[in-house]
Amino acid sequence: MNLIRCSNKTAALLCVVALLATAGTASAFSVSAEGVPTETAVDEEVSVTYTIDDPFTDAPNEWTLAGSTELQDVSWTVTVLRAGSQVSQETYGDQSFEQDLEIDNNGDQVRIELVGTTPAISNYTYDPAQNYQVASLSRISGSNEDEFRNDTVHHYTEESQSARQAIDDAQAAIDEAGGNEEAEELVSSAISSYENGNFQNAQDLAGQAENQAQQAQQSAQTQQTLLLVGGGLVVLLLLVGGGYYAYTQMSEDEYSKL
């Protein structure tokens, strides 16, 4: 009976400890995002929402929220909430902004809505692909600046995307063929043309590389087939020869007996 009571008390104590531990770690400074794309076309509109929960937990009581972006025609809307109700709202129209936050005057959540258009591409790169900064968010306190969010996204034009796809297809064909030096040289030239903005030439070279790789693969497969056929014929001839030899030996034995 005492053992049962002891076990019950121990279980209850463990539950209390677990609840206290959970309560101690449930609330913490965190940021989430909605709408961050993986890639966008030049001049395409982008709309992203960032949400900071518990902005003063594990953070100074006073700090400055700073944001920057490479999007064009920008609009930032910063909304401070407490228990789901709006405390304040500010709008900014530049590519960067700063807003002071204080624990006494601000709430338990900050929502940052960013709208803008994808910027033009100044420098094309194949690997890594050219990217632009959707948003960088930082917490500034005194002379310390802590970047807690940074999202970059691939951007493209219709011509650059077609050239990139052609290069990707050519590289896939080379890999499937097990490598081909001539095709790989053509791909290198295609990438050089891509990075110089000569997309039609890049696409043409990539197409040649893909054809070269496919032809090399077909040639290798044909040679392999011929080798298999040749090997089969050799085996067949050996079998036929062996059978004929055995037959003649049996015939000679029968003749000797006679």
Side-chain angles (χ1 to χ4, degrees), residues 124-162:
Y124 288 92
T125 57
Y126 178 74
D127 186 21
Q130 68 274 352
N131 291 320
Y132 70 96
Q133 186 183 72
V134 173
S136 168
L137 298 176
S138 299
R139 182 174 60 198
I140 301 173
S141 179
S143 60
N144 297 321
E145 182 171 353
D146 176 27
E147 183 182 64
F148 56 85
R149 185 81 189 198
N150 191 340
D151 289 312
T152 59
V153 171
H154 171 59
H155 55 159
Y156 60 90
T157 64
E158 183 178 350
E159 294 80 8
S160 72
Q161 190 77 334
S162 296

mmCIF file of all heavy atoms in Angstrom, residues 124-162:
data_model
loop_
_atom_site.group_PDB
_atom_site.id
_atom_site.type_symbol
_atom_site.label_atom_id
_atom_site.label_comp_id
_atom_site.label_asym_id
_atom_site.label_seq_id
_atom_site.Cartn_x
_atom_site.Cartn_y
_atom_site.Cartn_z
ATOM 1 N N TYR A 124 24.309 38.098 -63.935
ATOM 2 C CA TYR A 124 23.816 36.725 -64.074
ATOM 3 C C TYR A 124 24.895 35.736 -63.646
ATOM 4 O O TYR A 124 26.044 35.837 -64.086
ATOM 5 C CB TYR A 124 23.409 36.443 -65.521
ATOM 6 C CG TYR A 124 22.129 37.136 -65.940
ATOM 7 C CD1 TYR A 124 22.168 38.393 -66.544
ATOM 8 C CD2 TYR A 124 20.888 36.534 -65.721
ATOM 9 C CE1 TYR A 124 20.994 39.031 -66.925
ATOM 10 C CE2 TYR A 124 19.726 37.173 -66.103
ATOM 11 C CZ TYR A 124 19.780 38.416 -66.699
ATOM 12 O OH TYR A 124 18.621 39.044 -67.065
ATOM 13 N N THR A 125 24.517 34.797 -62.796
ATOM 14 C CA THR A 125 25.421 33.725 -62.389
ATOM 15 C C THR A 125 24.662 32.404 -62.458
ATOM 16 O O THR A 125 23.487 32.336 -62.071
ATOM 17 C CB THR A 125 25.941 33.939 -60.958
ATOM 18 O OG1 THR A 125 24.831 34.045 -60.052
ATOM 19 C CG2 THR A 125 26.792 35.194 -60.875
ATOM 20 N N TYR A 126 25.359 31.371 -62.950
ATOM 21 C CA TYR A 126 24.692 30.070 -63.084
ATOM 22 C C TYR A 126 24.745 29.271 -61.781
ATOM 23 O O TYR A 126 23.734 28.735 -61.336
ATOM 24 C CB TYR A 126 25.338 29.272 -64.227
ATOM 25 C CG TYR A 126 24.729 27.898 -64.386
ATOM 26 C CD1 TYR A 126 23.463 27.739 -64.951
ATOM 27 C CD2 TYR A 126 25.405 26.763 -63.942
ATOM 28 C CE1 TYR A 126 22.881 26.486 -65.069
ATOM 29 C CE2 TYR A 126 24.833 25.504 -64.061
ATOM 30 C CZ TYR A 126 23.582 25.365 -64.626
ATOM 31 O OH TYR A 126 23.014 24.117 -64.735
ATOM 32 N N ASP A 127 25.910 29.178 -61.173
ATOM 33 C CA ASP A 127 26.055 28.414 -59.942
ATOM 34 C C ASP A 127 27.030 29.121 -59.003
ATOM 35 O O ASP A 127 28.236 29.159 -59.281
ATOM 36 C CB ASP A 127 26.546 27.000 -60.251
ATOM 37 C CG ASP A 127 26.582 26.095 -59.030
ATOM 38 O OD1 ASP A 127 25.868 26.410 -58.064
ATOM 39 O OD2 ASP A 127 27.310 25.089 -59.050
ATOM 40 N N PRO A 128 26.516 29.709 -57.912
ATOM 41 C CA PRO A 128 25.112 29.701 -57.514
ATOM 42 C C PRO A 128 24.278 30.635 -58.388
ATOM 43 O O PRO A 128 24.801 31.599 -58.956
ATOM 44 C CB PRO A 128 25.149 30.184 -56.065
ATOM 45 C CG PRO A 128 26.370 31.068 -56.019
ATOM 46 C CD PRO A 128 27.371 30.431 -56.943
ATOM 47 N N ALA A 129 22.984 30.349 -58.461
ATOM 48 C CA ALA A 129 22.089 31.172 -59.282
ATOM 49 C C ALA A 129 21.989 32.579 -58.700
ATOM 50 O O ALA A 129 22.087 32.777 -57.483
ATOM 51 C CB ALA A 129 20.708 30.528 -59.336
ATOM 52 N N GLN A 130 21.799 33.555 -59.587
ATOM 53 C CA GLN A 130 21.669 34.935 -59.120
ATOM 54 C C GLN A 130 20.435 35.074 -58.215
ATOM 55 O O GLN A 130 19.382 34.514 -58.489
ATOM 56 C CB GLN A 130 21.569 35.912 -60.301
ATOM 57 C CG GLN A 130 20.295 35.821 -61.132
ATOM 58 C CD GLN A 130 20.373 34.770 -62.227
ATOM 59 O OE1 GLN A 130 21.428 34.208 -62.464
ATOM 60 N NE2 GLN A 130 19.257 34.525 -62.895
ATOM 61 N N ASN A 131 20.638 35.795 -57.094
ATOM 62 C CA ASN A 131 19.577 35.988 -56.104
ATOM 63 C C ASN A 131 19.434 37.466 -55.768
ATOM 64 O O ASN A 131 20.315 38.275 -56.057
ATOM 65 C CB ASN A 131 19.895 35.218 -54.817
ATOM 66 C CG ASN A 131 19.816 33.719 -55.000
ATOM 67 O OD1 ASN A 131 18.926 33.229 -55.693
ATOM 68 N ND2 ASN A 131 20.735 32.990 -54.387
ATOM 69 N N TYR A 132 18.323 37.797 -55.151
ATOM 70 C CA TYR A 132 18.149 39.133 -54.588
ATOM 71 C C TYR A 132 17.603 38.980 -53.172
ATOM 72 O O TYR A 132 17.078 37.932 -52.797
ATOM 73 C CB TYR A 132 17.207 39.994 -55.438
ATOM 74 C CG TYR A 132 15.753 39.561 -55.378
ATOM 75 C CD1 TYR A 132 14.852 40.169 -54.507
ATOM 76 C CD2 TYR A 132 15.277 38.535 -56.191
ATOM 77 C CE1 TYR A 132 13.533 39.776 -54.441
ATOM 78 C CE2 TYR A 132 13.955 38.131 -56.140
ATOM 79 C CZ TYR A 132 13.090 38.751 -55.261
ATOM 80 O OH TYR A 132 11.774 38.351 -55.194
ATOM 81 N N GLN A 133 17.743 40.019 -52.392
ATOM 82 C CA GLN A 133 17.294 39.981 -51.005
ATOM 83 C C GLN A 133 15.831 40.393 -50.909
ATOM 84 O O GLN A 133 15.469 41.524 -51.247
ATOM 85 C CB GLN A 133 18.147 40.916 -50.143
ATOM 86 C CG GLN A 133 17.841 40.845 -48.648
ATOM 87 C CD GLN A 133 18.662 41.846 -47.869
ATOM 88 O OE1 GLN A 133 18.412 43.047 -47.934
ATOM 89 N NE2 GLN A 133 19.656 41.353 -47.134
ATOM 90 N N VAL A 134 14.999 39.451 -50.471
ATOM 91 C CA VAL A 134 13.593 39.785 -50.235
ATOM 92 C C VAL A 134 13.513 40.674 -48.988
ATOM 93 O O VAL A 134 12.875 41.733 -49.013
ATOM 94 C CB VAL A 134 12.748 38.509 -50.039
ATOM 95 C CG1 VAL A 134 11.325 38.865 -49.612
ATOM 96 C CG2 VAL A 134 12.711 37.715 -51.328
ATOM 97 N N ALA A 135 14.126 40.221 -47.915
ATOM 98 C CA ALA A 135 14.096 41.031 -46.697
ATOM 99 C C ALA A 135 15.181 40.594 -45.726
ATOM 100 O O ALA A 135 15.519 39.411 -45.641
ATOM 101 C CB ALA A 135 12.737 40.939 -46.011
ATOM 102 N N SER A 136 15.718 41.584 -45.025
ATOM 103 C CA SER A 136 16.597 41.345 -43.888
ATOM 104 C C SER A 136 15.982 42.074 -42.696
ATOM 105 O O SER A 136 15.632 43.256 -42.800
ATOM 106 C CB SER A 136 18.003 41.883 -44.166
ATOM 107 O OG SER A 136 18.781 41.894 -42.981
ATOM 108 N N LEU A 137 15.837 41.363 -41.583
ATOM 109 C CA LEU A 137 15.279 41.960 -40.375
ATOM 110 C C LEU A 137 16.309 41.853 -39.259
ATOM 111 O O LEU A 137 16.904 40.794 -39.055
ATOM 112 C CB LEU A 137 13.989 41.251 -39.956
ATOM 113 C CG LEU A 137 12.826 41.305 -40.964
ATOM 114 C CD1 LEU A 137 11.651 40.471 -40.460
ATOM 115 C CD2 LEU A 137 12.387 42.739 -41.210
ATOM 116 N N SER A 138 16.503 42.972 -38.550
ATOM 117 C CA SER A 138 17.524 43.005 -37.506
ATOM 118 C C SER A 138 16.973 43.637 -36.237
ATOM 119 O O SER A 138 16.028 44.439 -36.271
ATOM 120 C CB SER A 138 18.755 43.796 -37.968
ATOM 121 O OG SER A 138 19.333 43.208 -39.104
ATOM 122 N N ARG A 139 17.604 43.294 -35.110
ATOM 123 C CA ARG A 139 17.295 43.892 -33.808
ATOM 124 C C ARG A 139 18.504 44.704 -33.386
ATOM 125 O O ARG A 139 19.599 44.167 -33.221
ATOM 126 C CB ARG A 139 16.991 42.773 -32.811
ATOM 127 C CG ARG A 139 16.615 43.254 -31.425
ATOM 128 C CD ARG A 139 16.201 42.075 -30.552
ATOM 129 N NE ARG A 139 17.285 41.096 -30.423
ATOM 130 C CZ ARG A 139 17.105 39.843 -30.028
ATOM 131 N NH1 ARG A 139 15.885 39.404 -29.764
ATOM 132 N NH2 ARG A 139 18.124 39.022 -29.895
ATOM 133 N N ILE A 140 18.315 46.014 -33.245
ATOM 134 C CA ILE A 140 19.415 46.913 -32.883
ATOM 135 C C ILE A 140 19.228 47.368 -31.443
ATOM 136 O O ILE A 140 18.163 47.890 -31.064
ATOM 137 C CB ILE A 140 19.474 48.139 -33.818
ATOM 138 C CG1 ILE A 140 19.648 47.697 -35.273
ATOM 139 C CG2 ILE A 140 20.612 49.061 -33.411
ATOM 140 C CD1 ILE A 140 19.549 48.829 -36.270
ATOM 141 N N SER A 141 20.263 47.168 -30.645
ATOM 142 C CA SER A 141 20.256 47.622 -29.258
ATOM 143 C C SER A 141 21.605 48.246 -28.961
ATOM 144 O O SER A 141 22.623 47.549 -28.893
ATOM 145 C CB SER A 141 19.987 46.444 -28.313
ATOM 146 O OG SER A 141 20.004 46.878 -26.967
ATOM 147 N N GLY A 142 21.611 49.568 -28.810
ATOM 148 C CA GLY A 142 22.880 50.269 -28.617
ATOM 149 C C GLY A 142 23.733 50.135 -29.865
ATOM 150 O O GLY A 142 23.303 50.446 -30.967
ATOM 151 N N SER A 143 24.955 49.647 -29.695
ATOM 152 C CA SER A 143 25.851 49.457 -30.833
ATOM 153 C C SER A 143 25.782 48.037 -31.395
ATOM 154 O O SER A 143 26.496 47.707 -32.340
ATOM 155 C CB SER A 143 27.300 49.769 -30.417
ATOM 156 O OG SER A 143 27.698 48.906 -29.356
ATOM 157 N N ASN A 144 24.910 47.211 -30.821
ATOM 158 C CA ASN A 144 24.784 45.819 -31.260
ATOM 159 C C ASN A 144 23.637 45.673 -32.262
ATOM 160 O O ASN A 144 22.534 46.175 -32.023
ATOM 161 C CB ASN A 144 24.538 44.891 -30.064
ATOM 162 C CG ASN A 144 25.686 44.887 -29.083
ATOM 163 O OD1 ASN A 144 26.844 44.917 -29.483
ATOM 164 N ND2 ASN A 144 25.372 44.856 -27.798
ATOM 165 N N GLU A 145 23.920 44.979 -33.335
ATOM 166 C CA GLU A 145 22.888 44.688 -34.335
ATOM 167 C C GLU A 145 22.857 43.190 -34.589
ATOM 168 O O GLU A 145 23.858 42.582 -34.969
ATOM 169 C CB GLU A 145 23.156 45.437 -35.646
ATOM 170 C CG GLU A 145 22.073 45.187 -36.701
ATOM 171 C CD GLU A 145 22.208 46.089 -37.922
ATOM 172 O OE1 GLU A 145 23.068 47.000 -37.887
ATOM 173 O OE2 GLU A 145 21.463 45.890 -38.900
ATOM 174 N N ASP A 146 21.691 42.593 -34.377
ATOM 175 C CA ASP A 146 21.522 41.149 -34.524
ATOM 176 C C ASP A 146 20.520 40.867 -35.641
ATOM 177 O O ASP A 146 19.326 41.147 -35.493
ATOM 178 C CB ASP A 146 21.037 40.549 -33.200
ATOM 179 C CG ASP A 146 20.750 39.061 -33.302
ATOM 180 O OD1 ASP A 146 21.371 38.395 -34.152
ATOM 181 O OD2 ASP A 146 19.892 38.565 -32.533
ATOM 182 N N GLU A 147 21.008 40.340 -36.752
ATOM 183 C CA GLU A 147 20.116 39.981 -37.856
ATOM 184 C C GLU A 147 19.449 38.648 -37.509
ATOM 185 O O GLU A 147 20.118 37.633 -37.343
ATOM 186 C CB GLU A 147 20.891 39.853 -39.167
ATOM 187 C CG GLU A 147 20.000 39.545 -40.367
ATOM 188 C CD GLU A 147 20.797 39.373 -41.658
ATOM 189 O OE1 GLU A 147 21.599 38.411 -41.720
ATOM 190 O OE2 GLU A 147 20.627 40.189 -42.579
ATOM 191 N N PHE A 148 18.120 38.635 -37.427
ATOM 192 C CA PHE A 148 17.420 37.411 -37.056
ATOM 193 C C PHE A 148 16.618 36.810 -38.217
ATOM 194 O O PHE A 148 16.033 35.731 -38.073
ATOM 195 C CB PHE A 148 16.500 37.643 -35.849
ATOM 196 C CG PHE A 148 15.494 38.748 -36.021
ATOM 197 C CD1 PHE A 148 14.272 38.500 -36.645
ATOM 198 C CD2 PHE A 148 15.756 40.017 -35.550
ATOM 199 C CE1 PHE A 148 13.332 39.504 -36.786
ATOM 200 C CE2 PHE A 148 14.829 41.036 -35.693
ATOM 201 C CZ PHE A 148 13.608 40.781 -36.324
ATOM 202 N N ARG A 149 16.618 37.479 -39.361
ATOM 203 C CA ARG A 149 15.945 36.901 -40.537
ATOM 204 C C ARG A 149 16.579 37.480 -41.797
ATOM 205 O O ARG A 149 16.816 38.684 -41.893
ATOM 206 C CB ARG A 149 14.444 37.232 -40.510
ATOM 207 C CG ARG A 149 13.643 36.569 -41.628
ATOM 208 C CD ARG A 149 13.314 35.130 -41.307
ATOM 209 N NE ARG A 149 12.746 34.419 -42.445
ATOM 210 C CZ ARG A 149 12.066 33.293 -42.362
ATOM 211 N NH1 ARG A 149 11.851 32.739 -41.175
ATOM 212 N NH2 ARG A 149 11.601 32.688 -43.434
ATOM 213 N N ASN A 150 16.850 36.603 -42.774
ATOM 214 C CA ASN A 150 17.409 37.054 -44.058
ATOM 215 C C ASN A 150 16.953 36.082 -45.141
ATOM 216 O O ASN A 150 17.353 34.922 -45.145
ATOM 217 C CB ASN A 150 18.932 37.116 -43.990
ATOM 218 C CG ASN A 150 19.524 37.822 -45.212
ATOM 219 O OD1 ASN A 150 18.882 37.949 -46.256
ATOM 220 N ND2 ASN A 150 20.757 38.278 -45.087
ATOM 221 N N ASP A 151 16.103 36.550 -46.031
ATOM 222 C CA ASP A 151 15.583 35.701 -47.102
ATOM 223 C C ASP A 151 16.072 36.217 -48.456
ATOM 224 O O ASP A 151 15.893 37.401 -48.782
ATOM 225 C CB ASP A 151 14.050 35.700 -47.099
ATOM 226 C CG ASP A 151 13.493 34.945 -45.909
ATOM 227 O OD1 ASP A 151 13.952 33.822 -45.659
ATOM 228 O OD2 ASP A 151 12.606 35.492 -45.220
ATOM 229 N N THR A 152 16.702 35.323 -49.228
ATOM 230 C CA THR A 152 17.113 35.637 -50.588
ATOM 231 C C THR A 152 16.415 34.683 -51.544
ATOM 232 O O THR A 152 16.152 33.523 -51.204
ATOM 233 C CB THR A 152 18.643 35.522 -50.763
ATOM 234 O OG1 THR A 152 19.053 34.191 -50.437
ATOM 235 C CG2 THR A 152 19.371 36.510 -49.870
ATOM 236 N N VAL A 153 16.139 35.177 -52.765
ATOM 237 C CA VAL A 153 15.337 34.425 -53.733
ATOM 238 C C VAL A 153 15.959 34.563 -55.115
ATOM 239 O O VAL A 153 16.471 35.629 -55.478
ATOM 240 C CB VAL A 153 13.879 34.955 -53.735
ATOM 241 C CG1 VAL A 153 13.081 34.358 -54.879
ATOM 242 C CG2 VAL A 153 13.196 34.640 -52.412
ATOM 243 N N HIS A 154 15.902 33.478 -55.878
ATOM 244 C CA HIS A 154 16.365 33.489 -57.270
ATOM 245 C C HIS A 154 15.403 34.317 -58.124
ATOM 246 O O HIS A 154 14.188 34.184 -58.011
ATOM 247 C CB HIS A 154 16.418 32.047 -57.793
ATOM 248 C CG HIS A 154 16.666 31.931 -59.261
ATOM 249 N ND1 HIS A 154 17.785 32.450 -59.875
ATOM 250 C CD2 HIS A 154 15.935 31.350 -60.257
ATOM 251 C CE1 HIS A 154 17.742 32.192 -61.164
ATOM 252 N NE2 HIS A 154 16.626 31.529 -61.426
ATOM 253 N N HIS A 155 15.968 35.186 -58.966
ATOM 254 C CA HIS A 155 15.111 35.923 -59.914
ATOM 255 C C HIS A 155 15.632 35.719 -61.335
ATOM 256 O O HIS A 155 16.804 35.432 -61.562
ATOM 257 C CB HIS A 155 14.982 37.402 -59.560
ATOM 258 C CG HIS A 155 16.270 38.153 -59.417
ATOM 259 N ND1 HIS A 155 16.350 39.516 -59.527
ATOM 260 C CD2 HIS A 155 17.547 37.753 -59.155
ATOM 261 C CE1 HIS A 155 17.590 39.909 -59.341
ATOM 262 N NE2 HIS A 155 18.338 38.861 -59.126
ATOM 263 N N TYR A 156 14.734 35.875 -62.297
ATOM 264 C CA TYR A 156 15.050 35.496 -63.671
ATOM 265 C C TYR A 156 14.185 36.286 -64.656
ATOM 266 O O TYR A 156 13.185 36.918 -64.278
ATOM 267 C CB TYR A 156 14.785 33.989 -63.864
ATOM 268 C CG TYR A 156 13.337 33.604 -63.608
ATOM 269 C CD1 TYR A 156 12.399 33.620 -64.645
ATOM 270 C CD2 TYR A 156 12.901 33.250 -62.331
ATOM 271 C CE1 TYR A 156 11.071 33.293 -64.404
ATOM 272 C CE2 TYR A 156 11.585 32.920 -62.093
ATOM 273 C CZ TYR A 156 10.671 32.935 -63.134
ATOM 274 O OH TYR A 156 9.357 32.621 -62.899
ATOM 275 N N THR A 157 14.611 36.226 -65.922
ATOM 276 C CA THR A 157 13.774 36.692 -67.025
ATOM 277 C C THR A 157 13.357 35.467 -67.827
ATOM 278 O O THR A 157 13.884 34.369 -67.624
ATOM 279 C CB THR A 157 14.538 37.670 -67.937
ATOM 280 O OG1 THR A 157 15.638 36.959 -68.540
ATOM 281 C CG2 THR A 157 15.069 38.861 -67.153
ATOM 282 N N GLU A 158 12.439 35.642 -68.744
ATOM 283 C CA GLU A 158 11.995 34.508 -69.561
ATOM 284 C C GLU A 158 13.158 33.917 -70.350
ATOM 285 O O GLU A 158 13.313 32.690 -70.444
ATOM 286 C CB GLU A 158 10.889 34.963 -70.515
ATOM 287 C CG GLU A 158 10.303 33.836 -71.358
ATOM 288 C CD GLU A 158 9.178 34.300 -72.265
ATOM 289 O OE1 GLU A 158 8.728 35.454 -72.107
ATOM 290 O OE2 GLU A 158 8.754 33.510 -73.142
ATOM 291 N N GLU A 159 14.018 34.796 -70.901
ATOM 292 C CA GLU A 159 15.158 34.336 -71.700
ATOM 293 C C GLU A 159 16.191 33.624 -70.833
ATOM 294 O O GLU A 159 16.718 32.566 -71.214
ATOM 295 C CB GLU A 159 15.809 35.510 -72.425
ATOM 296 C CG GLU A 159 14.935 36.177 -73.485
ATOM 297 C CD GLU A 159 13.921 37.134 -72.883
ATOM 298 O OE1 GLU A 159 13.998 37.398 -71.652
ATOM 299 O OE2 GLU A 159 13.050 37.615 -73.631
ATOM 300 N N SER A 160 16.490 34.184 -69.677
ATOM 301 C CA SER A 160 17.499 33.558 -68.809
ATOM 302 C C SER A 160 16.999 32.219 -68.275
ATOM 303 O O SER A 160 17.770 31.263 -68.129
ATOM 304 C CB SER A 160 17.867 34.486 -67.653
ATOM 305 O OG SER A 160 16.827 34.581 -66.702
ATOM 306 N N GLN A 161 15.700 32.131 -67.990
ATOM 307 C CA GLN A 161 15.151 30.876 -67.483
ATOM 308 C C GLN A 161 15.216 29.774 -68.533
ATOM 309 O O GLN A 161 15.533 28.619 -68.215
ATOM 310 C CB GLN A 161 13.706 31.090 -67.024
ATOM 311 C CG GLN A 161 13.104 29.910 -66.259
ATOM 312 C CD GLN A 161 13.613 29.840 -64.834
ATOM 313 O OE1 GLN A 161 14.703 30.314 -64.511
ATOM 314 N NE2 GLN A 161 12.824 29.245 -63.957
ATOM 315 N N SER A 162 14.930 30.122 -69.791
ATOM 316 C CA SER A 162 14.999 29.134 -70.876
ATOM 317 C C SER A 162 16.431 28.639 -71.064
ATOM 318 O O SER A 162 16.667 27.439 -71.255
ATOM 319 C CB SER A 162 14.472 29.743 -72.178
ATOM 320 O OG SER A 162 13.106 30.081 -72.066
#
